[in-house]
Amino acid sequence: MSKERTRLVRSRRTRRAVLGAATALVLVGGGFAVANAATAGSEKSAAGVQRPVDKQAKGTAAVVSAANAFLNTLTSDQQASTLLDLTQTNATAWSNLPCGGTCRPGIQFSTLSDDQLAAAEHVLKLALGTGKDTGYEHVLQTLKADDVLASAESTSSASAGPTDAPTATDSASATPTDSASATATDSASAAAPTGAPPSGGTGGGPGGFSYGSGYYYLAFLGTPSKTGTWQLHFGGHHLAVNITYKDGKVSGASPFFTGVEPTSWTADDGTTYAPLAKFRDGLLKLTGSLSTSQLAEAKLSESFSDVLLGPGKDGDFPETKEGIKAGELSPKQKKLVLAAIHPWIADVDDATADRLMKTYAKELDQTYVAYSGGTGLDTQGDYVRIDGPSVWVEFVCQNGVVFQNQIHYHTVYRDHTRDYGNEFSFS
């Protein structure tokens, strides 16, 4: 272990002593390292069932092999927490909330050893896209954001004590900012949260919350296989990855929920992170291209404090599409619609993302663009939607919970016919 990595791990262990139940991971060289001192051999447990691994496998077969390799690192008890039945109840048990394992299945990252965590990381790396600030890289940044929240919450709680967090319907109390030059600690004194997050519900950690990268969970629903049907289920606060495999192919890459608070921050090493900047910027370019008359046609009469099709809203697509039809847009604007969709689709492996984008391009003329609030995506209630025969994307701004003088983002990608690989009926 390098001196720098040792320093990071020790610093996170020190912080963990302050946070109590909060746990964290350290990202080293683009990957994970354990910072909660979970070690192999610290507990006596029966070895788990060993599964075949093919290091030469490619594509989705490589994902299956990596899933098996991860399972092979686990004890029998850990395997029982990770390998679950593919049922509608398990598949739909995801949330944007910081509610730990009370609202999602799987094995908690903070309980894994270094070797186990590295094996879990390899599964995600193969299953997710390789684009810059999308796919695997985006997921890593989302986990880092939750560590920023954990640190800010601890600092605020220790110094000033918590104050009430705003609800989703509260108006912004200050001009929101996501400036890359503002470090997370600049806003940490705003307040630590109490009560319910904007979307409702309760968490599982201190004060009802479970912030930190240790509170993310990985499950395989169904047995990973090149011939059967199974789902990779990974998530935590502001993240839900649901990728369904059938007969060696991805049959569904949604629902995919991704959000972030703070929207950007600068780490101690000077690196600036903005996990949803590419997602937001694509929508800004799209809405910015619309003329006055086109904006009027795209404007929704409803107001939105959160995404419409978040957790627990499976199958609840509106019966009537609203907004401006992409078929009415110019060729340049049509390209902007596809470019705006792409960051969400790039969550899944590159080959599957390409296949999905070709489908959405064919359906583009029947796809609608709509918005509510303003088009700046910088104020509570600013909302953009893209709704096609298949694709569904939402992006909404909410008041901050931990960083209360800022806004934060919630987004979701769904597919009218491919959510959960179309394995379940929602009617």
Side-chain angles (χ1 to χ4, degrees):
M1 181 180 289
S2 67
K3 291 182 179 179
E4 176 63 13
R5 176 169 168 175
T6 301
R7 182 190 67 79
L8 288 170
V9 171
R10 286 175 176 169
S11 68
R12 290 296 178 89
R13 286 175 179 167
T14 301
R15 193 185 78 183
R16 181 173 178 267
V18 175
L19 291 175
T23 55
L25 309 173
V26 181
L27 275 72
V28 179
F32 299 116
V34 177
N36 70 324
T39 56
S42 61
E43 294 182 1
K44 294 289 186 179
S45 183
V49 174
Q50 297 298 290
R51 291 168 169 80
V53 173
D54 179 3
K55 294 183 179 180
Q56 305 304 316
K58 304 293 183 183
T60 57
V63 178
V64 172
S65 180
N68 284 342
F70 170 62
L71 290 169
N72 288 347
T73 69
L74 305 180
T75 66
S76 59
D77 289 344
Q78 289 176 316
Q79 286 185 355
S81 296
T82 307
L83 192 58
L84 306 171
D85 292 336
L86 178 57
T87 65
Q88 183 168 318
T89 298
N90 285 338
T92 60
W94 58 271
S95 178
N96 61 288
L97 298 177
C99 44
T102 66
C103 60
R104 53 183 65 87
I107 191 164
Q108 186 174 334
F109 263 27
S110 66
T111 67
L112 301 178
S113 69
D114 275 332
D115 289 344
Q116 292 170 334
L117 198 57
E121 171 195 357
H122 190 54
V123 178
L124 296 174
K125 201 166 190 177
L126 292 174
L128 301 174
T130 62
K132 179 174 173 54
D133 297 328
T134 59
Y136 176 70
E137 190 172 305
H138 169 73
V139 164
L140 290 187
Q141 292 183 23
T142 302
L143 269 64
K144 288 180 74 72
D146 227 49
D147 282 337
V148 173
L149 291 183
S151 179
E153 182 193 43
S154 173
T155 302
S156 296
S157 297
S159 59
T163 62
D164 290 338
T167 65
T169 55
D170 289 338
S171 60
S173 59
T175 301
T177 176
D178 61 354
S179 171
S181 63
T183 64
T185 54
D186 290 336
S187 303
S189 60
T194 62
S199 299
T202 58
F209 291 81
S210 299
Y211 295 130
S213 55
Y215 288 107
Y216 286 74
Y217 296 75
L218 177 62
F220 304 139
L221 309 183
T223 302
S225 166
K226 294 182 288 185
T227 57
T229 302
W230 65 286
Q231 180 185 316
L232 189 157
H233 190 97
F234 177 70
H237 183 219
H238 280 156
L239 182 68
V241 174
N242 298 283
I243 303 176
T244 307
Y245 298 85
K246 186 171 184 176
D247 297 331
K249 295 182 179 180
V250 174
S251 56
S254 56
F256 171 45
F257 185 102
T258 178
V260 70
E261 183 184 8
T263 58
S264 70
W265 72 94
T266 300
D268 291 341
D269 64 1
T271 302
T272 296
Y273 296 95
L276 280 172
K278 181 172 287 189
F279 298 68
R280 177 202 61 202
D281 291 351
L283 293 173
L284 289 176
K285 289 178 182 178
L286 170 58
T287 57
S289 77
L290 300 179
S291 67
T292 301
S293 60
Q294 288 173 329
L295 284 171
E297 188 174 353
K299 182 81 171 183
L300 296 167
S301 60
E302 308 99 317
S303 297
F304 296 87
S305 60
D306 204 347
V307 295
L308 188 64
L309 298 186
K313 299 298 183 179
D314 299 298
D316 289 347
F317 297 97
E319 294 183 3
T320 303
K321 296 188 184 303
E322 299 179 274
I324 186 168
K325 200 174 185 179
E328 302 174 12
L329 303 178
S330 70
K332 183 178 180 180
Q333 288 174 318
K334 289 180 181 181
K335 289 182 180 179
L336 291 176
V337 176
L338 290 174
I341 293 170
H342 183 261
W344 282 271
I345 316 310
D347 166 60
V348 74
D349 71 88
D350 299 345
T352 300
D354 288 345
R355 187 172 71 249
L356 285 168
M357 286 303 300
K358 288 178 181 178
T359 297
Y360 299 153
K362 290 178 181 178
E363 299 173 344
L364 184 60
D365 284 350
Q366 305 303 315
T367 298
Y368 287 71
V369 177
Y371 77 98
S372 180
T375 58
L377 296 180
D378 58 4
T379 303
Q380 162 80 16
D382 285 0
Y383 171 91
V384 178
R385 175 197 302 171
I386 299 175
D387 181 15
S390 297
V391 70
W392 172 279
V393 167
E394 294 179 89
F395 189 114
V396 70
C397 296
Q398 292 188 341
N399 290 331
V401 176
V402 175
F403 299 106
Q404 294 182 7
N405 63 340
Q406 302 181 20
I407 49 93
H408 78 289
Y409 306 140
H410 280 188
T411 84
V412 70
Y413 156 58
R414 286 183 178 268
D415 188 295
H416 286 262
T417 62
R418 297 175 181 84
D419 276 3
Y420 309 106
N422 200 28
E423 290 296 314
F424 311 110
S425 176
F426 303 101
S427 58

